[in-house]
Every structure is written in structure tokens, then in C-alpha cells.
Amino acid sequence: MPTNLAGFVIVVAIVLGRTHFLEHLLFLGTEKYPDEQEYRTYLGRHAGDSNAFTSGTHTQYVFNVDAAHLEGALDRFAQFFIAPRFDASCVERELHAIVSEHKGNLQSQARQFARLRSSLADPRHPYSKFGTGNLETLLHAPARRGVDVRAALIDFFHRYYSANLMRLVVIGKEPLDVLCAWAARYFSPIANLDLPIPEDAILGHPWAVYPESSTARKLIRVKSPLDGAALYLRWAFPQLVHTEWRSSPTWYLCMLLNYRGSGSLADVLQQRNLITSLAAAPTETARQFNFFSIGLDLTEKGAANVDEVVGSIFDYLARLRELAASPDGLPRYFYDEQKTICDLGYRYTSPVNDVSRAMAMANLMHMPIDPEWMLVGDTVLHEWRPELVAQALAALTTEVEITVTSASFPADVELNRREPWYGTAYRIDELPESLASRIARAAPHPDLDHPRPNPFAPLNAEPVFTLDATAAAANTKFDAAELVPHVVWSSKHSRQWLQRDGIFGVPQSVLMVRLRSPVWHASEKNHVLFELFITMANNVLTSVLADAAVAGYSAQFEDGPFGLELTVSGYTEKLSLVAKELAVTWVAIASGSTTKFDQWFAQAQQQLLHAYSDANQSRAPLDLAALTLGLAMQARLADLPGRVDVVRSLSVNDLRAFATDARAAMFIESYALTNAPVDIYLEWMDDFFAHLGADMAADSSSDSPQWWAPLSGDQLQSLPTLYLPLKNTVMVVSSSAAATVSPADRDSEVLNAVVWRVQLGDVTDSRTHALLGVFDLLTQDTIFHALRTQRQLGYIVTSGRERHASTELFAVSVQGELAPELLEAHIEDVIAHDVATVVRGLTAETLTDLVEPLLAYLGGEYTNFNSIAAYAWTHPFELETYDFGWWYDVAQAARTLCVADVVEFYETLISPASTSRRKLSVHVLGAAPAGCSPAHGDDSLDVSNAADTVKVLPKSVTLALPVERVEEKDLGAWCSAAELLPSRTIQLE
């Protein structure tokens, strides 16, 4: 349920970051509900959650809650906008959260780049404003000018939070008249100041209003915290994004530019080994100005030949303009295909969840869309307007801003400027003569062409089902046994599962195939080879299945817990064609026989090198801590810098040998969610196996030479899972960036992290899962409030359920400025005192309230077609338990819980005073990337005395079990010597 309001760009603020700061404060108490925990507690106790964000043009608030408690949530939510308290203590405490959020953002390349683009605009234009806020803008600068920040926030609220600028979306199960009555009852008291839309006060595009500050025809070089290089082209763009929603010319242009099939811009540049990816889209859009950007990730060759890449882009634009000016014009069939695909997508593709749907609708309500089309909006195409596409295309002229980002530049390229808020190093020059000349002589190139008719596109808006007429009906009924996964083919080489959709009746299918082999994760080198194999396979698929992706199909290779997983989803009509391409791609790479293999290998190797290097150099401390813990729980801790060396050492022959070994012994298992006849499904798999060189019909012969060797013995064991010792184990890891950051930078920008986990039991234990679900709902708000709101440890504070391999854990994570040891002391203090108070005070009535939303979640109330497959795959297939009644067992266990069970669960497994607790935490000392210290004042907090930052100091917590500290250099040895949980034998027949 979202509400949209005005964002930070549209108001010239005397306190930079004021809009964002206000967004934070509205969560912390209102006149009707003064307890600052009330809103979060109500949502948390009823399986709900909330969030908000402030962009350049609006602030959006959103929540979700168990359906039975929507009205109470609406009442509490509406009070945000009627009578917030703005308690002075909340203002002071939440300031630290803003500072922590900003410091976390400093490590994000995307945020660095977005801020740089804004800062290059003329300072008189609102687009240039710094909207996040930090200690300088929200405390020091206002203090120097004698500005009371709290008073400024209150003034901003009363000046701009007007009902006529807001848009409200409510999605619920109640009848429309009830939802409308609730909306009127709870939201009509919001003040309506009848304000003009603040965006309309903007004079126009920053390049047009202040041409002397325009960066068109400039080359900007920017230091990136990530490995590798990227290229961006940006143009001023006409007002087509918001106004022309019926024909969506900008969308059509993006489809032409983003197309990845044969002859496309992306395909040609990849074939020349110049880029690895391309994305075109309107950016920084507002009612009064727009930009359009094309971004490309460059290979090493591409980084050395920027002129060629840019020239090819303009060659392609010349080809499109040539088409637009021709008698036949731009291809109408491409529009017609897309219109049919969009129509089908709207009818049959459900949104991920109601939150996403509501957020999208709230944004649409700010656009000039006819009310009768509001539910559909711009998700479908209404009319073909080639002249508007030509207008959009005409805007992509030589008046272009070109930016190159790279971790390093030649010695003669000095980055002589710094962005003021993020400290990003950059330089600006006029376009070099060679580049300007290449752009000027751009012309249609014979290698570049527009999309051809799509072989995967449906021919009309009524898809052809691969079903007989009676089974195609939406209300088809199946036997109860068919509505759960069941085996329709089985042998020692393969097994096929089928599940029917008796709920949605859509013409879609999901097909998942797992190739289990003991080779995939046999060693650290094999793990790297496996990631290289998957990277290469997905690169090939992106090109091969470009048309399928446009037509609404999804296909990818994934690293599953037990092996290679292939997933296909989309319309049943042509799903077999997509599945065939997966098999063909698998064989092409596994055999290593294609002439393009060496080129594919080189591109994938470079991508993986960049990925590993980026993880070492710029991974946020909390992400690094979570990665370390996850690898530890799988008993396969590895040094990421070591993986870089492994990737560099690999050869084409290594990958060929790896793929050959993997094919020697396998078990292939498939699952299909489809209403197609069983024979059709088995035909899909028969065709799939045929491309792998096997014959399902011949599988009845156990000695068939066409088949690989079956798995046996140790090859059928479940994943290794660490059995944590009865200790308080602490692993210590340093961010690799920390060593490169000067002490001055580290003092001001350091963020540390702690991930704290308690091992509870095997994931197949339904009673433990039910207890953990109740415990999580009971304590999540208490933990967040204590660590984030009261103690202000950092912007990121989370708690909840977690699964690693085959074990279940309760998790708490914090990222903040304090030393990791002090962060953990606070976590233990909250677990020992705040959580204990809540658990020991639990009543039977509250327990019933907690079990109710848990039962709704466990009851299999599917939100869309794909969620049916997710339920089946997430637990029974991923863990290879094949217990499809497990969710119902958990629900039954939840119904039988009593207060004493929850208290015992806490006292035995989670309390620091327990002698049965198995706890592991990872401490990461992090630092922002070098050169990212802000120029506007000191953004550091004095943490020499913890009370300056943390208002509630941790009490002295006595741990019942000893603390074992494992230093970074000893992590691998510790993991190798650790005890493992007993493994299960997987039954494959």
C-alpha cells in the first residue's frame, strides 16, 4: 500500500537531504500512536513489513500486512501524513541512521556515478542538489547558519505534504466499497493545501536552461571502484516518457537498441569482442526534463578502442534513421509483435507480489493516463505512432555526453577533479578530434540491422495451447494427486516430475532440469570452473535466445546446491524450442567443439576475473561477512583473492576436461509445472536428451552405451554442512580495501559489520521451522528497535530466518561505525535482555495472533503461477527431500505450539546463558574505497566514547560457553577440522 509524495530535486531546500530525513522521521510516532514502535510492531506481529525511499522526483511509502489486519495498518499508516510527532530525541537519533546510510552508499559505484552526473549540472538547477544528506548538510552547515533542523523539517512537512500531491493505492481482499470507505475514513483528514506540482516550477532541462554548464560534446573520465571499464552515452531527451504513454515511443526505441539477436548492435559489438553487455533506457526522468542513456560494459579490447564502440553506436543510429526515412518506415511488424506480447503479458503474467503492483500503480497515477486505463497503464501498447519514434530517435544526435569509467587510466590521463559529496575522481575534456570525427562520419553499416520477425512470438492474442480443447479451459480440474509433483518417468539415469496447475489455468509452463554430478564442486578449482562454465553458457544463451526473451520466455543456467540447474519458463506453445536451445548450448560448451569456444572462454574468463576482483575491492562489509559465513557453513571457506589466481591460471583445455568429467557420471532430474498432456512433457524431455546424445526410450536398457554412468555411493550424499561447536565462535575478516585506505579516510568512512548466527537444527525438522517462524515474528521488531532506533548502531539492521545447506539458523546482521566487538556486544545484550523480556512475557493470545499469519503463509496460498513452482522447488527439490507435504507438517506443528515451547526454544538454543547454544559470528573491519572521502566537511562521528554515538550502552552479558576467536589466516584450517552434520543418502529411484 504505497503513497507517493514530492522528492528532493523538486524543492530548493535550505537543508540538503531534508526530504530524505523527513521520510525517516515519519515512521517514529504520531499523535494518535505516539509509541515509535507501534507501526513496525503492528506490521511485524501480522506478517507485514514496510519501506520507503526518496528519489529525485518523489518519496514513496509502502507496506504489506496479513489480509485480516489491513484496516488497522491503514489507520496507523495514515497518521504519518496527518499528525507526526517529530519528537526531538527521534530527530537526533535518526540523524545517525542517515549518516550511516550515506556512508554505506559511498561504496556503491552506481550511487557514485549518479551523484557525479547530478553534480555536473549547474548549481542553480535543482537537478544538481545532493538529496541523501549527511552530517555536514543536516547538522554542521545548518548550525553555522543558525537553522533549527527540526523546525525546518516540520516546516517542510506542513509546506509540501499536501493531499493533492499524494497518490494512494490500496490492494486488499475486501470489496471495493469497503476499501474505498477505509481510504476515505483514514486519509481524508490529510491537509489539502491545493498546491501546484512542485516539479512544474523547474524551468526546463539543465543543459538548455544553463547551456554554459552543459556537458554535451564532452568526454568525462571517471575512476571506478570496480575492476574493468564501462562506457556511457547520454543525451538530452524530449518529453515523451510521461506524456506519450499510449504509443510508448521511448519504449519502442529501447527495444530496438537493447535487442541482442543476430545483426543487433549488441551482437555485433560482442562478436568483435568489444563489449560484454549493453543497456539503453531513459534516465533521470522528470516532468520537465529527461535524459536518455546507453551504457556498455567494455572488454579490454573495447576499453582500448572506445572510438570504435562509439562509432558503431552512431552507425546503428544512422541505420535506424535511414529506416525511419524510408517509404516503408520503421518495421511495423516489430510493433505488432510487441503489442501481442504485451497484451498476453498483461493478461497472464502476474506481478511478483501486490507490493510491486501497488508501487507501480502509484507511479502511474502521477502520469497523465486516462482513468479507465489506470490498471493497464503503459504495460500495453495502444497505438502505433512511428512519427514519435522518429522524434525520439532524432534526439540522439552528436550533442552527446560520453563517459568512460575505469579502475585505471593511462599515466598521461590525470583525474584532476573530485565530486564534492562522494569524492569520486574524474576529469572533463572536449571530445577528442578522433572521436568527434568518427561520430561525424557515422553511416549505416552492413553488419548492423534491425530485428527480424520473431520466431518465438505468438501469432495472435489468443495463444495456441499445447493442450486438447477440454484441458485448455481455465477451470480445468485435475485429480488431487496431479496437483502435487509426481513421477511420470524414472530410471537410474533420470527422473521426471510433473505438477498440474489447478488454480490459475494460464497457458504457461515452468520447466526445471538439474544435472547432478560429483564433479561440479569437487574442489575449489572445480567450483571456479563451474562458475566459468555457467557464465559462458548464459552469455551464449543471451544471444541465442534474444528473440525468446522478447517474446516472454526466460531461460538460464544456474549454480544449484547439487549441480547445474537449467530453468525455462514462458508460454507452453513454444517452450520446447527454448528448452532445446538450452540443451544445444550445454552440448556446445560441454563438448568444446564449436569454433567459437575459444572466444566464448576468453570473454567469460575476463568477466569472472572482474567479478572476483570487484568482490575483493568493493564488497560492502556486511556482504563480505555474509559470504564468509555462508562458505563456512558449507565447510568450503575459500580466499576470494585466491580465486582470482585460479581464474587466471585456467585454460580452454581445463574447461573442456572439466565438462568431460562432469558428463561421465550424472543424474538428470526434471520438474515441470504445466497443464500440457504428459506425452507432450515427455516429448520435451526426449528432445532434450536427444541433444545430449541419449535416448529416453533406450533407457530401459541399463547397459545402453548412449547413457552416462549412474551415480552411486558417496555421489548420492547430501551437501556437507558444518555442525557448529558448543562455543561462541567468532571469525575475523578484514576488507581488502581497508589496507589501501589512509588513516584519515578510515577514521571518517569506516563501516564495520557483524553477522551473528545461531544454529538450530536440520531444515527437515518441521517443528523447529514452526518455532523459528513464531520466534522471528515475535522478536523482529524488538531487535530492530533496540539496535537500529534506540542504539543507532547503523542504518542496516536485520534479523530473521536463514538456511545454509541443510541447516536452519536464526540470524542478526548489523553494519555500522562501531568496532565489530562492540557491535556484537550490543547484539548479545539485546538477545539476553530485550528479547528475553519479550519471549518470557509472551501470552497465549499473542501466540495465537502470531501463528495465524504463519499458517496463512504455510497454507500454500499462491500469489501467481510461478509461486506454485517456487513452493515445490524451494524445499523438496533443492534439498532433495522430496517431501511435498512438508509445508503442511510445519503448519500442523505450528498449531500445536504453546507458550512454554517458545520460551524453551529461546532458553535452550538462542539465549547467551544457554550451554546448548551453537553460535557463529563473522566480524569484518571494512573501509570505503580509497579516494571517496567527502570534501564538504568532516562526516565522521566521534566514537572515542561510545556514548557519543550509542545512547544505550550494552549491559554486561555473561556467556555460558567460551569464546573461540578464529583469525583470518586460520579460517580454512578451522573449517577443514570442524565437525559436519550427518549426511543423508538421496534416493534417486
Side-chain angles (χ1 to χ4, degrees):
M1 205 300 305
T3 296
N4 272 14
L5 292 149
F8 61 76
V9 161
I10 60 178
V11 179
V12 180
I14 59 171
V15 179
L16 293 178
R18 181 169 59 169
T19 312
H20 181 217
F21 197 179
L22 178 60
E23 168 218 309
H24 278 238
L25 290 176
L26 292 193
F27 286 84
L28 301 177
T30 62
E31 295 299 331
K32 184 174 181 179
Y33 298 103
D35 185 348
E36 61 187 56
Q37 281 187 270
E38 173 64 32
Y39 178 64
R40 281 188 55 89
T41 299
Y42 184 89
L43 295 179
R45 294 288 173 84
H46 300 300
D49 199 2
S50 65
N51 204 351
F53 67 87
T54 296
S55 72
T57 58
H58 66 274
T59 296
Q60 189 171 87
Y61 301 82
V62 62
F63 75 80
N64 64 286
V65 72
D66 180 58
H69 299 90
L70 175 59
E71 184 180 10
L74 287 172
D75 181 19
R76 288 161 175 79
F77 182 69
Q79 293 301 312
F80 284 18
F81 317 108
I82 298 171
R85 291 188 66 210
F86 294 109
D87 184 89
S89 65
C90 292
V91 173
E92 181 182 0
R93 281 186 282 113
E94 202 59 26
L95 173 60
H96 294 284
I98 296 286
V99 172
S100 179
E101 180 181 0
H102 174 61
K103 288 184 176 181
N105 292 343
L106 290 175
Q107 304 186 44
S108 165
Q109 183 195 35
R111 288 185 176 271
Q112 288 181 27
F113 190 44
R115 178 86 285 276
L116 174 61
R117 280 181 157 178
S118 296
S119 68
L120 292 177
D122 193 284
R124 292 168 292 179
H125 197 283
Y127 175 57
S128 69
K129 304 305 176 187
F130 172 52
T132 307
N134 64 4
L135 205 64
E136 166 65 18
T137 68
L138 297 173
L139 182 63
H140 298 325
R144 288 194 296 268
R145 299 197 305 269
V147 174
D148 183 331
V149 173
R150 178 173 177 270
L153 292 168
I154 295 172
D155 174 72
F156 184 89
F157 174 83
H158 290 297
R159 187 185 297 266
Y160 291 106
Y161 270 52
S162 173
N164 74 296
L165 298 181
M166 300 181 184
R167 302 294 183 268
L168 175 68
V169 176
V170 181
I171 297 177
K173 291 186 173 181
E174 291 75 12
L176 279 176
D177 57 348
V178 173
L179 295 176
C180 289
W182 288 351
R185 180 186 310 161
Y186 296 115
F187 291 88
S188 58
I190 297 175
N192 183 3
L193 307 178
D194 197 24
L195 296 176
I197 298 174
E199 266 186 287
D200 290 343
I202 296 176
L203 299 176
H205 198 284
W207 290 2
V209 178
Y210 303 105
E212 67 276 15
S213 299
S214 170
T215 50
R217 298 192 65 78
K218 296 289 194 296
L219 173 63
I220 305 171
R221 282 169 280 200
V222 183
K223 182 172 178 58
S224 169
L226 304 180
D227 200 11
L231 170 68
Y232 301 90
L233 287 76
R234 187 169 68 148
W235 293 265
F237 201 66
Q239 298 299 308
L240 298 172
V241 178
H242 295 283
T243 58
E244 300 299 336
W245 60 273
R246 295 185 64 84
S247 58
S248 299
T250 306
W251 176 87
Y252 182 92
L253 176 60
C254 289
M255 293 296 293
L256 291 174
L257 291 170
N258 288 319
Y259 181 65
R260 304 183 69 88
S262 179
S264 68
L265 175 62
D267 178 61
V268 169
L269 291 175
Q270 284 185 311
Q271 293 299 324
R272 297 176 187 171
N273 194 25
L274 295 171
I275 71 166
T276 58
S277 68
L278 179 152
T283 55
E284 300 113 332
T285 60
R287 288 168 60 94
Q288 298 303 323
F289 67 92
N290 293 288
F291 287 97
F292 190 92
S293 297
I294 300 177
L296 310 96
D297 290 322
L298 302 174
T299 63
E300 290 181 1
K301 180 181 177 183
N305 293 274
V306 169
D307 289 12
E308 182 181 350
V309 178
V310 173
S312 296
I313 293 172
F314 277 90
D315 287 345
Y316 187 62
L317 293 175
R319 169 61 177 147
L320 295 180
R321 291 192 186 95
E322 180 182 65
L323 278 172
S326 68
D328 293 334
L330 292 165
R332 171 66 186 262
Y333 63 80
F334 188 59
Y335 170 86
D336 290 338
E337 286 178 352
Q338 297 309 307
K339 177 172 172 51
T340 300
I341 292 167
C342 289
D343 289 345
L344 285 173
Y346 177 76
R347 291 172 57 187
Y348 297 117
T349 304
S350 301
V352 176
N353 52 49
D354 284 338
V355 170
S356 300
R357 182 183 178 192
M359 293 174 70
M361 287 187 62
N363 288 330
L364 286 174
M365 291 171 70
H366 281 282
M367 295 173 62
I369 294 178
D370 300 339
E372 64 268 26
W373 287 105
M374 192 58 68
L375 289 176
V376 179
D378 58 354
T379 59
V380 301
L381 299 174
H382 300 266
E383 58 187 15
W384 170 233
R385 296 282 304 277
E387 74 279 8
L388 292 179
V389 179
Q391 181 184 346
L393 184 58
L396 307 187
T397 68
T398 57
E399 293 296 309
V400 60
E401 170 197 276
I402 298 177
T403 303
V404 177
T405 68
S406 179
S408 61
F409 288 95
D412 60 341
V413 178
E414 178 189 0
L415 304 183
N416 54 4
R417 302 189 187 190
R418 286 199 179 264
E419 191 280 324
W421 301 108
Y422 281 69
T424 307
Y426 70 100
R427 71 173 291 128
I428 302 180
D429 297 291
E430 298 294 330
L431 286 184
E433 177 57 34
S434 61
L435 182 53
S437 174
R438 177 62 184 87
I439 293 173
R441 65 174 187 271
H445 193 282
D447 290 345
L448 294 164
D449 206 355
H450 62 285
R452 295 303 177 183
N454 191 336
F456 293 93
L459 300 178
N460 54 63
E462 295 298 329
V464 178
F465 295 165
T466 53
L467 317 172
D468 56 52
T470 56
N475 62 352
T476 298
K477 301 298 182 183
F478 295 101
D479 293 338
E482 295 183 275
L483 298 178
V484 296
H486 54 284
V487 176
V488 294
W489 178 277
S490 181
S491 76
K492 64 182 180 181
H493 295 111
S494 70
R495 179 167 55 194
Q496 278 68 55
W497 297 79
L498 175 63
Q499 183 177 13
R500 298 301 194 179
D501 163 30
I503 301 174
F504 299 100
V506 296
Q508 295 174 327
S509 296
V510 175
L511 175 64
M512 299 176 176
V513 183
R514 175 167 54 210
L515 288 75
R516 180 181 177 122
S517 168
V519 172
W520 300 130
H521 298 294
S523 67
E524 189 56 33
K525 179 179 178 180
N526 278 25
H527 177 79
V528 174
L529 280 163
F530 191 29
E531 290 198 5
L532 184 64
F533 182 98
I534 291 172
T535 301
M536 185 188 300
N538 283 324
N539 285 347
V540 175
L541 270 186
T542 299
S543 177
V544 171
L545 291 178
D547 288 320
V550 171
Y553 292 90
S554 172
Q556 62 181 341
F557 291 82
E558 295 180 282
D559 180 357
F562 290 98
L564 182 64
E565 293 183 356
L566 289 63
T567 305
V568 186
S569 62
Y571 298 108
T572 306
E573 179 185 356
K574 297 180 180 179
L575 195 81
S576 61
L577 299 179
V578 182
K580 182 189 76 172
E581 291 299 340
L582 262 76
V584 170
T585 301
W586 150 257
V587 171
I589 295 177
S591 65
S593 58
T594 175
T595 57
K596 296 182 179 179
F597 189 84
D598 288 6
Q599 180 182 338
W600 291 350
F601 176 87
Q603 290 179 345
Q605 185 180 40
Q606 191 175 121
Q607 285 176 262
L608 205 56
L609 273 173
H610 290 332
Y612 285 159
S613 297
D614 293 345
N616 296 337
Q617 297 168 9
S618 61
R619 187 183 296 274
L622 193 61
D623 294 338
L624 179 57
L627 173 67
T628 302
L629 187 137
L631 291 172
M633 292 306 302
Q634 297 174 48
R636 44 179 290 264
L637 258 181
D639 185 16
L640 278 176
R643 289 190 186 180
V644 172
D645 294 335
V646 172
V647 177
R648 287 199 179 101
S649 70
L650 296 178
S651 68
V652 170
N653 290 333
D654 288 327
L655 188 60
R656 285 196 175 102
F658 170 76
T660 300
D661 291 344
R663 295 182 70 189
M666 287 193 300
F667 184 81
I668 297 183
E669 190 162 39
S670 69
Y671 159 83
L673 173 64
T674 181
N675 285 349
V678 176
D679 291 347
I680 296 295
Y681 168 39
L682 293 179
E683 283 180 16
W684 294 348
M685 294 311 300
D686 194 28
D687 189 46
F688 182 87
F689 283 122
H691 285 89
L692 268 61
D695 182 359
M696 283 184 67
D699 194 22
S700 57
S701 170
S702 60
D703 298 324
S704 171
Q706 293 180 308
W707 288 88
W708 42 86
L711 302 184
S712 61
D714 292 344
Q715 298 172 342
L716 297 177
Q717 298 302 302
S718 60
L719 290 174
T721 305
L722 208 66
Y723 191 34
L724 295 181
L726 289 169
K727 294 180 180 179
N728 294 288
T729 307
V730 177
M731 293 181 170
V732 182
V733 179
S734 296
S735 166
S736 62
T740 66
V741 179
S742 69
D745 284 342
R746 183 177 297 178
D747 287 343
S748 63
E749 303 309 327
V750 66
L751 282 179
N752 304 311
V754 170
V755 295
W756 179 99
R757 305 293 188 263
V758 173
Q759 191 171 32
L760 303 172
D762 194 277
V763 291
T764 60
D765 187 334
S766 55
R767 189 172 184 275
T768 297
H769 192 80
L771 280 164
L772 179 55
V774 169
F775 183 80
D776 180 28
L777 290 173
L778 176 64
T779 62
Q780 62 181 231
D781 181 63
T782 297
I783 294 172
F784 181 88
H785 182 69
L787 297 176
R788 164 73 156 71
T789 308
Q790 289 185 318
R791 307 182 185 217
Q792 286 297 311
L793 296 187
Y795 175 66
I796 300 178
V797 173
T798 63
S799 67
R801 294 164 280 186
E802 201 169 273
R803 189 185 81 194
H804 283 286
S806 60
T807 193
E808 197 135 41
L809 305 98
F810 180 68
V812 179
S813 301
V814 179
Q815 180 172 283
E817 293 96 334
L818 297 183
E821 293 80 4
L822 190 52
L823 291 176
E824 172 141 347
H826 278 282
I827 294 172
E828 293 284 16
D829 180 37
V830 169
I831 297 295
H833 297 98
D834 301 65
V835 170
T837 299
V838 171
V839 172
R840 293 166 186 161
L842 178 65
T843 65
E845 181 182 6
T846 301
L847 178 58
T848 300
D849 289 341
L850 294 171
V851 168
E852 179 186 342
L854 187 63
L855 292 177
Y857 167 72
L858 294 170
E861 190 172 318
Y862 304 116
T863 57
N864 55 42
F865 175 76
N866 286 328
S867 67
I868 301 177
Y871 262 81
W873 195 261
T874 299
H875 191 279
F877 279 104
E878 274 196 354
L879 298 177
E880 296 189 323
T881 62
Y882 307 105
D883 181 3
F884 301 105
W886 184 80
W887 297 105
Y888 302 99
D889 294 340
V890 175
Q892 184 59 35
R895 292 187 182 95
T896 64
L897 295 179
C898 64
V899 170
D901 294 329
V902 180
V903 175
E904 182 186 17
F905 176 78
Y906 164 75
E907 301 287 5
T908 304
L909 298 176
I910 296 175
S911 169
S914 172
T915 57
S916 304
R917 188 173 80 158
R918 299 177 184 274
K919 191 227 78 181
L920 170 64
S921 61
V922 177
H923 293 187
V924 172
L925 173 63
C932 284
S933 179
H936 279 289
D938 181 12
D939 197 33
S940 63
L941 296 173
D942 181 4
V943 295
S944 57
N945 180 351
D948 289 340
T949 301
V950 184
K951 302 305 180 185
V952 182
L953 293 175
K955 304 178 182 69
S956 177
V957 176
T958 301
L959 300 176
L961 295 167
V963 175
E964 180 182 17
R965 184 179 174 92
V966 185
E967 299 297 332
E968 187 168 9
K969 62 183 178 61
D970 301 320
L971 292 180
W974 183 92
C975 225
S976 298
E979 184 181 357
L980 300 179
L981 287 170
S983 60
R984 300 189 309 274
T985 299
I986 308 303
Q987 300 299 320
L988 298 184
E989 290 191 82

